[in-house]
């Protein structure tokens, strides 16, 4: 028998009992697997991403969203401009993230039916005065783009890259979200005057659908393209209609464009085209996520990120190993004489864990940092799991706000534990600072900027009702969670430092200018920041 042990029993009866137990476990596993196959299960789709099957002739809603610009970054509602309006404007219910992004989704007067094509359909006839025409011209000059939605799919503009001399076979079709409101005339554009703005008053709506009779009934929309035209329509006469377009005479880009300068009448028209596509419904977002810009050096971006992470991890590992070895030696009473001969930063090992002058402020910083880190990690996990699909507009912003609120318990816990480790006593005030300091600063800045945006009458201005909801999330949920985490954190045992702290602080000599904290922080972060920023700048 082994020393200090007992003799194992390998008799036939024992082996038989073990075999019976193994057979029983195998039978239980097999039965469980069969039950999983027999028990009926039900699948579900995430909200906002469930497919809709349309039958021929069924009505399809075209919703209009905000007008956006990369120049002003101020979104506006669709009906802030005098477009054709339905009998009653209805707003779509929006989540918190959509409101924060400035989305304002409304119905439209466009009539679309499944698999029913329309040519040169007159939407409305609008007479504009000089002020309304100038409003159109201003928005066109600021490069505003139109954003429509059909079946939860945003409108896109098809862009075909021409073949290059070096690679004549490279003809690629990419998609840009939205389409321009109009364009500015130039001498290089036939039929236009330089400096005059022209509006796109005719839209060719191309809808792509996919069918699988064996999998589902009807058709599913998998593509939504809009090709805008500017046409100066002319009425056909007493018989009605337009002389510039008809079912037999489609609109082309060679037609005289529609300027917006001074009082005038504009005819708004549209076409509807249906095209079958082999793209399945689950892959319909791929065209929006595909980019062919050669300046986007994705490999170089990933390479830079990996190099920064690798060097940071390697440096941290070396420093930790060195620090642990030194701490073990310093704690050894027999090595004090040897430690006294050390130089450099090792001379202050007895002062490293001395509480700072403002322990509460440091605890607040660390607690808030853990809160932001937890929010980021959980958000990325949800994104990987598919809960933050681009089909769910505003889901990312909503998730960030809710997770930041929920992670308040981590902020309070870490802040209280660190504050206790630094021999702090007023943990209630420290917890209050953790709950209100950084969110308060962000809220004040956000509220001030929102007042300027509200003064511009932009849809990006957050309504006061949403501000009230944010305050409820902050003071009704986040603050109590911070206090809850601080309560449990302060009840935990005090974290003891790995080395003793000297009673008398060691005198630190004067530092050279290049060893000052501000300069060290800037230089230390310059390399990783430059490596990442230079590549991301090309996106």
């Amino acid at each position: 028998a082994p020393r200090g042990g007992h003799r194992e029993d390998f008799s036939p009866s024992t082996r038989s009992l073990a075999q019976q137990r193994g057979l029983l476990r195998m039978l239980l596993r097999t039965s469980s697997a069969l039950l999983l196959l027999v028990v009926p299960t039900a699948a579900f789709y995430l909200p906002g991403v469930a497919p809709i099957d349309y039958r021929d002739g069924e009505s399809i809603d075209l919703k209009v969203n905000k007008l956006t610009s990369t120049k002003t970054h101020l979104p506006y509602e669709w009906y802030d401009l005098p477009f054709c309006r339905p009998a009653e404007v209805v707003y779509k219910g929006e989540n918190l993230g959509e409101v924060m992004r400035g989305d304002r989704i409304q119905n439209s007067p466009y009539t679309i039916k499944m698999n029913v094509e329309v040519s040169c359909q007159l939407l409305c006839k609008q007479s504009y005065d000089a002020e309304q025409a100038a409003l159109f011209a201003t928005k066109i000059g600021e490069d505003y783009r139109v954003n429509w939605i059909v079946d939860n799919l945003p409108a896109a503009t098809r862009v075909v890259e021409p073949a290059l001399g070096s690679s004549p076979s490279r003809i690629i079709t990419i998609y840009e979200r939205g389409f321009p409101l109009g364009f500015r005339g130039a001498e290089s554009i036939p039929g236009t005057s330089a400096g005059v703005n022209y509006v796109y008053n005719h839209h060719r709506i191309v809808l792509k659908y996919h069918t699988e009779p064996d999998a589902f009934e009807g058709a599913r929309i998998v593509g939504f393209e809009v090709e805008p035209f500017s046409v100066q329509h002319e009425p056909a006469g007493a018989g009605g209609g337009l002389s510039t377009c008809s079912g037999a005479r489609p609109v082309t880009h060679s037609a005289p464009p529609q300027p917006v300068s001074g009082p005038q009448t504009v005819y708004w028209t549209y076409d509807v085209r249906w095209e079958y596509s082999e793209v399945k419904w689950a892959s319909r977002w791929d065209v929006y996520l595909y980019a062919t810009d050669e300046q986007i050096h994705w490999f170089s971006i990933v390479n830079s990120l990996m190099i920064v992470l690798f060097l940071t991890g390697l440096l941290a590992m070396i420093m930790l190993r060195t620090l642990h070895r030194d701490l073990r030696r310093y704690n050894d009473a027999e090595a004090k004489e040897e430690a006294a001969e050390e130089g450099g930063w090792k001379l202050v090992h007895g002062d490293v864990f001395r509480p700072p002058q403002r322990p509460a402020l440091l605890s607040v910083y660390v607690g808030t940092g853990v809160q932001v880190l937890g929010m980021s990690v959980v958000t990325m996990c949800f994104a990987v799991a598919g809960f933050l699909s681009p089909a769910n507009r505003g889901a990312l912003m909503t998730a960030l706000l809710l997770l930041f609120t929920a992670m308040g318990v981590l902020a309070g816990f870490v802040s209280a534990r660190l504050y206790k480790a630094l021999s702090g006593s007023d943990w209630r005030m420290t917890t209050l600072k953790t709950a209100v300091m950084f969110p308060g600063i962000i809220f004040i800045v956000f509220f001030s900027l929102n007042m300027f945006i509200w003064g511009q009458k932009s849809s990006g201005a957050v309504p006061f009702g949403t501000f009230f909801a944010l305050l409820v999330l902050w003071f009704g949920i986040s603050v109590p969670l911070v206090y809850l985490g601080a309560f449990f954190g302060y009840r935990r045992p005090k974290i003891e430092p790995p080395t003793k702290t000297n009673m008398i602080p060691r005198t630190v000599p004067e530092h050279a200018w290049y060893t000052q904290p501000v300069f060290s922080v800037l230089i230390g972060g310059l390399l990783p920041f430059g490596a990442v920023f230079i590549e991301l700048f090309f996106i």
Side-chain angles (χ1 to χ4, degrees):
R3 295 181 180 178
H6 62 277
R7 184 179 298 275
E8 298 276 347
D9 186 5
F10 292 99
S11 61
S13 60
T14 304
R15 289 196 299 268
S16 177
L17 182 60
Q19 291 174 357
Q20 291 176 3
R21 290 177 178 175
L23 180 61
L24 181 60
R25 284 195 294 266
M26 184 179 65
L27 289 175
L28 289 175
R29 293 171 182 172
T30 306
S31 302
S32 302
L34 292 175
L35 285 175
L36 290 176
L37 295 176
V38 173
V39 174
T41 58
F44 68 95
Y45 286 98
L46 300 177
V49 296
I52 300 178
D53 303 331
Y54 295 97
R55 300 182 182 275
D56 289 346
E58 185 175 352
S59 296
I60 300 175
D61 295 331
L62 188 152
K63 297 182 175 63
V64 294
N65 200 355
K66 60 186 176 181
L67 299 168
T68 57
S69 171
T70 56
K71 284 188 175 181
T72 64
H73 300 284
L74 291 175
Y76 288 91
E77 291 187 15
W78 171 258
Y79 293 114
D80 284 347
L81 294 180
F83 291 109
C84 304
R85 302 169 67 96
E88 180 184 1
V89 177
V90 179
Y91 285 85
K92 171 188 170 295
E94 297 162 346
N95 56 41
L96 181 60
E98 289 178 309
V99 176
M100 298 289 290
R101 284 163 27 102
D103 288 345
R104 299 296 183 268
I105 303 175
Q106 303 157 307
N107 61 330
S108 71
Y110 290 87
T111 302
I112 301 176
K113 293 184 178 181
M114 182 66 203
N115 222 3
V116 177
E117 295 195 348
V118 176
S119 296
C120 198
Q121 178 68 35
L122 178 62
L123 186 64
C124 71
K125 172 185 174 182
Q126 293 281 92
S127 296
Y128 299 124
D129 55 24
E131 182 179 357
Q132 292 174 325
L135 184 61
F136 269 105
T138 301
K139 293 295 183 287
I140 294 172
E142 293 172 344
D143 292 342
Y144 271 86
R145 297 181 68 86
V146 177
N147 296 278
W148 288 352
I149 300 172
V150 168
D151 191 41
N152 204 31
L153 201 63
T157 305
R158 181 189 298 183
V159 179
V160 179
E161 289 191 357
L164 302 177
S166 58
S167 56
S169 60
R170 188 179 184 276
I171 302 177
I172 299 177
T173 301
I174 62 176
Y175 290 82
E176 297 178 353
R177 286 202 184 189
F179 55 92
L181 178 64
F183 68 97
R184 182 180 292 272
E187 296 180 357
S188 58
I189 304 177
T192 64
S193 300
V196 178
N197 292 317
Y198 298 85
V199 65
Y200 288 126
N201 60 325
H202 180 88
H203 303 100
R204 180 164 297 157
I205 302 171
V206 180
L207 295 168
K208 299 183 179 183
Y209 66 95
H210 180 75
T211 58
E212 290 184 20
D214 297 336
F216 56 87
E217 297 182 359
R220 294 177 178 176
I221 297 177
V222 296
F224 177 27
E225 302 174 8
V226 176
E227 185 179 2
F229 297 83
S230 181
V231 183
Q232 192 168 10
H233 287 299
E234 297 292 341
L242 300 173
S243 62
T244 48
C245 75
S246 62
R249 183 185 176 186
V251 173
T252 62
H253 290 286
S254 60
Q258 175 65 58
V260 280
S261 56
Q264 58 192 312
T265 299
V266 178
Y267 293 87
W268 296 91
T269 56
Y270 67 97
D271 301 334
V272 178
R273 299 285 186 269
W274 289 93
E275 296 179 1
Y276 179 78
S277 175
E278 294 292 342
V279 176
K280 294 186 178 182
W281 186 88
S283 304
R284 64 178 187 166
W285 279 88
D286 292 352
V287 295
Y288 297 92
L289 306 177
Y290 179 69
T292 60
D293 190 353
E294 293 181 351
Q295 289 184 329
I296 302 178
H297 307 146
W298 291 111
F299 178 78
S300 184
I301 293 174
V302 176
N303 183 53
S304 300
L305 290 173
M306 295 305 298
I307 289 176
V308 170
L309 293 176
F310 175 76
L311 292 178
T312 304
L314 183 63
L315 182 62
M317 183 178 64
I318 295 174
M319 293 186 65
L320 285 175
R321 293 185 62 181
T322 304
L323 182 62
H324 282 301
R325 185 179 64 251
D326 291 343
L327 291 178
R328 285 195 302 268
R329 186 171 58 185
Y330 293 146
N331 290 331
D332 188 1
E334 298 179 356
K336 287 186 176 180
E337 296 181 359
E338 181 182 354
E341 300 176 0
E342 297 288 352
W345 69 271
K346 297 180 181 180
L347 293 174
V348 296
H349 73 277
D351 299 275
V352 171
F353 294 97
R354 186 181 306 280
Q357 296 180 356
R358 298 179 180 85
L361 195 60
L362 177 62
S363 302
V364 171
Y365 288 168
V366 175
T368 306
V370 172
Q371 184 178 9
V372 175
L373 178 63
M375 174 197 69
S376 304
V377 171
V378 177
T379 301
M380 287 189 291
C381 293
F382 275 110
V384 171
F387 287 92
L388 302 181
S389 168
N392 293 329
R393 283 179 304 274
L396 178 60
M397 181 67 70
T398 304
L400 290 174
L401 291 173
L402 296 180
L403 288 174
F404 183 83
T405 302
M407 292 299 163
V409 65
L410 285 180
F413 182 82
V414 174
S415 173
R417 291 218 67 188
L418 180 59
Y419 187 61
K420 186 176 182 180
L422 298 176
S423 303
S425 57
D426 193 4
W427 68 273
R428 292 181 178 84
M429 181 57 66
T430 303
T431 305
L432 179 62
K433 292 179 181 178
T434 304
V436 302
M437 177 178 287
F438 280 95
I441 295 174
I442 295 174
F443 186 84
I444 292 174
V445 173
F446 181 71
F447 182 80
S448 303
L449 294 177
N450 190 75
M451 294 300 294
F452 289 103
I453 299 175
W454 180 74
Q456 296 293 326
K457 298 181 180 180
S458 169
S459 66
V462 177
F464 287 100
T466 305
F467 268 111
F468 179 76
L470 293 175
L471 290 175
V472 170
L473 284 175
W474 183 12
F475 290 101
I477 301 178
S478 180
V479 173
L481 287 178
V482 172
Y483 270 93
L484 179 64
F487 174 75
F488 287 104
Y490 205 74
R491 292 185 62 182
R492 297 291 298 274
K494 181 179 178 181
I495 301 175
E496 297 295 338
T499 182
K500 296 180 180 180
T501 302
N502 296 334
M503 297 297 295
I504 301 176
R506 187 180 182 89
T507 303
V508 180
E510 292 268 340
H511 287 183
W513 64 271
Y514 52 84
T515 60
Q516 296 297 325
V518 176
F519 184 80
S520 301
V521 170
L522 293 177
I523 296 300
L526 182 62
L527 177 62
F529 175 79
V532 176
F533 176 78
I534 291 175
E535 296 298 336
L536 294 179
F537 178 78
F538 291 101
I539 298 181

